[in-house]
Amino acid sequence: MTNSRSDRPGEFELIAELFAPLATHAGAFGLTDDVAILTPPPGMDLVLKTDAIVEGVHFLPDDPADLVAQKALRVNLSDLGAKGALPVGYLLSLSIPERISMEWLRAFADGLARDQGPWEISLLGGDTTSTPGPVTISVTMVGYVPAGQVIRRSGARPGDVAFVTGLIGNAGAGLEVRRGGGRHLATGDRGYLTRCYQSPLPPVGFGKALRGIASAALDISDGLLADFGHMAQASGVKICIDAGRIPLSPAARNLWGAEAALRAATAGDDYEIAFAAPPARRDEVLRAALACGVRVTEIGRVEAGRGVVLLDDTGAEIAVARAGYTHF
Amino acid sequence: MTNSRSDRPGEFELIAELFAPLATHAGAFGLTDDVAILTPPPGMDLVLKTDAIVEGVHFLPDDPADLVAQKALRVNLSDLGAKGALPVGYLLSLSIPERISMEWLRAFADGLARDQGPWEISLLGGDTTSTPGPVTISVTMVGYVPAGQVIRRSGARPGDVAFVTGLIGNAGAGLEVRRGGGRHLATGDRGYLTRCYQSPLPPVGFGKALRGIASAALDISDGLLADFGHMAQASGVKICIDAGRIPLSPAARNLWGAEAALRAATAGDDYEIAFAAPPARRDEVLRAALACGVRVTEIGRVEAGRGVVLLDDTGAEIAVARAGYTHF
């Protein structure tokens, strides 16, 4: 296939112009070789995660390209952060249809560049290919964690306290707004929620502070209840969430009204951290949160049993049709 | 999005049934956690590569699913092998449209399983998502190489000999047959070439034997001339390839006739190793090839200058319209 389409240069020129400047890590060889090399510091385990986002499934065709790029990175940064790992870099596999312009690609690369600095990550390698389908972006994030200190899903124990970072449901509310919902909302609320959907901000550094404190952790991507459900299953415990304590934004309350807590608990794409810790570690959790500038809310507890339940103010179980959102 | 389509179970069931059994490495946690952990042995560098294959671009919709899976692995194994690295495992990002059946997915997983054994690799993690577009498979392959011993593209020096493994052009010929070409060929030739396109067999282990012997190496994916061109550029040298010495199969000769060498040199997807070594190391190269059971052919030489040239039997340059195949 020769390159005769739109205004784009060929693959090699594209890589040299847009992506090579992002390969700041020495082991990426400026993208001039076939592989990347990392030399993990002694005593460090390597942490790996891959997640793809697909146009029309995880982002919308008219979402700004720089935000799409940042979302592709952040959904993966979110996983590493929640497990207590520090990200080092990423590999990018980008499948793009003919209609995508050089302007879109420049904005996309700019979005990557703007996230690399704050999170101290480098592009390590990549693959760019054409596709007859939607823009498909697969990122593999690589990081380090001190040997044996990764925070697993499976360590929650009866008696532990269940916490979440940030606000829950904003991204799901933002998707609803992007799809035409929330016409009764003020413009400010609509813009805020849209931005939360397009541009998640995972508390990556806070995961490091949770090492040795949290008994279990994972990031919230499928939805608050679904992800605490994963933790409950892996840990062999029951997790009870108090609906009234789920932290909501005013905008999400305005969108969803009386159903807000339930809707937030079953929306997805929050990219906050769900974690459990023994009650004796509560002060350490809150101190770490203050030090990181991260909002942490105690929203439930771990008990003997199985599964996850959502409880109302009287302690009665709220029926939930489905626990989370699936892109599949 | 709920799962109401075709005969497929949900994402979590799919992972548990088809993919968790492939996560044989302890650090993959049986795909029950969010990240994978690797503890690189002391003195080892980590080697990383990502490559995607897209239906309709890198494979055809009616290619067998098990062969598609193997191709997705092997295009990445090929890179690690050519650089002297030993693969350890891979992360898989799989985007599949609704029409894909459970039967296709079972065959796909079976293809992965059949390659994991011989190459001693494990699934380390993955992501499965729906797509409104073609099947898109992105693999990130992870491996180890003794610190500092990765074979770069950039080490070729004037005086070096240029070598290739295997036969060149079979995959390109197979693609032509798959697209309806070669109707004059015997059925046996057509089947052989088709299989070469669908099912590359990179000489992964041979790269290890080239450590400390080859001055530069890379795998042939864009095409023999294009990839030697990458080596020439990275090394700051000129590489001369003798058209008459390019190793061709009888089937490729039957398809392409008098043009066979030129067509083979500019086809892609060979997944063989192109490498350079000082003439004093020639015997070591050939001994290593015999030990590995890999065919190695001396096809040219490295000179002072720039770029890659294809020469006829009289030493005159053969004009080449384009050096390689690009999927972009």
Side-chain angles (χ1 to χ4, degrees):
Chain A
M1 265 156 264
T2 54
N3 178 66
S4 59
R5 62 197 57 134
S6 73
D7 62 337
R8 296 203 319 249
E11 179 179 9
F12 302 123
E13 294 73 25
L14 196 72
I15 290 169
E17 180 186 337
L18 296 183
F19 296 115
L22 302 175
T24 53
H25 190 287
F29 304 124
L31 304 187
T32 62
D33 217 309
D34 302 86
V35 294
I37 298 288
L38 283 183
T39 308
M44 287 287 184
D45 280 344
L46 196 89
V47 183
L48 296 159
K49 171 72 190 186
T50 196
D51 234 336
I53 64 172
V54 178
E55 180 185 22
V57 182
H58 308 83
F59 64 93
L60 301 177
D62 59 342
D63 281 336
D66 54 341
L67 299 187
V68 170
Q70 292 177 315
K71 189 163 191 174
L73 292 180
R74 292 176 185 192
V75 300
N76 284 283
L77 286 164
S78 176
D79 280 293
L80 263 67
K83 313 308 283 187
L86 288 182
V88 174
Y90 63 99
L91 296 101
L92 171 70
S93 175
L94 180 61
S95 299
I96 41 180
E98 273 192 47
R99 66 182 150 76
I100 292 296
S101 68
M102 195 61 193
E103 184 190 354
W104 194 94
L105 287 166
R106 281 207 189 89
F108 182 85
D110 186 54
L112 298 176
R114 276 189 283 116
D115 265 11
Q116 289 195 184
W119 271 301
E120 300 183 77
I121 54 175
S122 166
L123 177 60
L124 293 174
D127 180 41
T128 311
T129 184
S130 68
T131 178
V135 176
T136 303
I137 307 156
S138 178
V139 167
T140 299
M141 190 66 64
V142 185
Y144 299 137
V145 68
Q149 291 191 39
V150 70
I151 310 173
R152 300 284 311 275
R153 287 180 175 186
S154 53
R157 294 290 169 262
D160 281 355
V161 181
F163 297 92
V164 286
T165 62
L167 298 170
I168 300 301
N170 280 343
L175 176 58
E176 194 167 314
V177 168
R178 286 283 285 141
R179 287 179 167 163
R183 297 197 182 279
H184 63 286
L185 293 183
T187 306
D189 278 358
R190 288 220 303 272
Y192 168 81
L193 294 173
T194 298
R195 182 53 63 112
C196 288
Y197 166 71
Q198 292 177 330
S199 200
L201 198 67
V204 177
F206 181 59
K208 179 185 172 187
L210 287 177
R211 288 183 208 149
I213 298 176
S215 53
L218 77 172
D219 75 323
I220 304 176
S221 53
D222 296 329
L224 179 80
L225 285 185
D227 287 307
F228 269 117
H230 299 324
M231 184 190 290
Q233 183 175 20
S235 300
V237 297
K238 178 181 182 180
I239 299 179
C240 304
I241 304 296
D242 299 320
R245 298 206 280 177
I246 295 172
L248 303 171
S249 69
R253 285 187 194 280
N254 291 340
L255 176 67
W256 285 326
E259 284 200 319
L262 177 60
R263 298 292 298 275
T266 55
D269 282 343
D270 291 309
Y271 303 108
E272 296 291 346
I273 304 180
F275 64 101
R281 315 300 295 270
R282 186 185 273 118
D283 283 355
E284 288 170 88
V285 166
L286 300 178
R287 240 178 272 136
L290 286 175
C292 290
V294 167
R295 171 202 291 256
V296 162
T297 307
E298 185 178 326
I299 58 163
R301 70 213 71 81
V302 181
E303 298 182 353
R306 295 270 176 247
V308 65
V309 291
L310 187 66
L311 305 177
D312 70 16
D313 291 348
T314 72
E317 194 174 328
I318 299 173
V320 178
R322 60 188 181 89
Y325 184 89
T326 169
H327 291 294
F328 183 70
Chain B
M1 265 157 262
T2 54
N3 178 67
S4 59
R5 63 198 56 134
S6 70
D7 62 337
R8 295 203 320 248
E11 180 179 9
F12 301 123
E13 293 74 24
L14 197 71
I15 290 169
E17 180 186 337
L18 296 183
F19 296 116
L22 302 176
T24 52
H25 190 287
F29 304 124
L31 305 186
T32 61
D33 216 310
D34 301 87
V35 294
I37 298 289
L38 283 183
T39 308
M44 286 288 182
D45 280 346
L46 196 89
V47 183
L48 296 159
K49 171 70 188 188
T50 196
D51 233 336
I53 64 173
V54 179
E55 181 184 29
V57 182
H58 307 84
F59 65 94
L60 301 176
D62 59 343
D63 281 335
D66 54 340
L67 299 187
V68 170
Q70 293 178 314
K71 189 164 190 174
L73 293 180
R74 293 177 185 191
V75 302
N76 285 283
L77 286 165
S78 176
D79 280 294
L80 263 67
K83 314 307 282 187
L86 288 182
V88 174
Y90 63 99
L91 296 100
L92 171 70
S93 176
L94 180 62
S95 299
I96 42 181
E98 274 192 49
R99 66 182 149 77
I100 291 295
S101 68
M102 196 60 194
E103 184 190 354
W104 193 95
L105 288 166
R106 281 206 189 91
F108 182 85
D110 185 54
L112 298 176
R114 277 190 282 117
D115 265 12
Q116 289 195 184
W119 271 302
E120 299 183 78
I121 54 175
S122 167
L123 178 61
L124 293 173
D127 180 40
T128 310
T129 184
S130 68
T131 178
V135 176
T136 302
I137 307 155
S138 178
V139 166
T140 299
M141 189 67 64
V142 185
Y144 299 136
V145 68
Q149 291 192 38
V150 70
I151 310 172
R152 300 284 312 276
R153 287 181 174 184
S154 53
R157 293 294 169 260
D160 281 355
V161 180
F163 296 92
V164 287
T165 62
L167 297 170
I168 301 302
N170 281 342
L175 176 59
E176 195 168 314
V177 167
R178 285 285 283 143
R179 287 178 167 164
R183 296 199 183 278
H184 64 287
L185 293 182
T187 307
D189 278 359
R190 289 219 305 271
Y192 168 81
L193 295 173
T194 298
R195 181 54 63 111
C196 287
Y197 167 70
Q198 291 176 331
S199 198
L201 197 68
V204 177
F206 182 59
K208 179 184 172 189
L210 288 177
R211 287 183 206 150
I213 298 177
S215 52
L218 77 171
D219 76 321
I220 304 177
S221 52
D222 296 329
L224 179 80
L225 285 184
D227 288 306
F228 269 117
H230 299 324
M231 184 190 290
Q233 185 175 18
S235 299
V237 297
K238 178 180 182 181
I239 299 181
C240 304
I241 304 296
D242 299 319
R245 297 207 280 179
I246 296 173
L248 304 171
S249 69
R253 285 187 195 278
N254 290 342
L255 176 67
W256 284 327
E259 283 200 319
L262 177 60
R263 297 291 297 277
T266 55
D269 283 343
D270 291 309
Y271 303 109
E272 296 291 346
I273 304 180
F275 64 101
R281 316 299 295 269
R282 186 183 275 120
D283 283 355
E284 287 169 86
V285 166
L286 300 179
R287 240 178 272 134
L290 285 175
C292 290
V294 167
R295 172 201 291 257
V296 163
T297 307
E298 186 178 324
I299 58 162
R301 70 212 71 81
V302 182
E303 298 182 353
R306 294 269 177 249
V308 65
V309 290
L310 187 66
L311 305 177
D312 67 16
D313 291 347
T314 71
E317 193 173 329
I318 299 172
V320 178
R322 62 188 180 86
Y325 184 89
T326 170
H327 291 293
F328 184 70

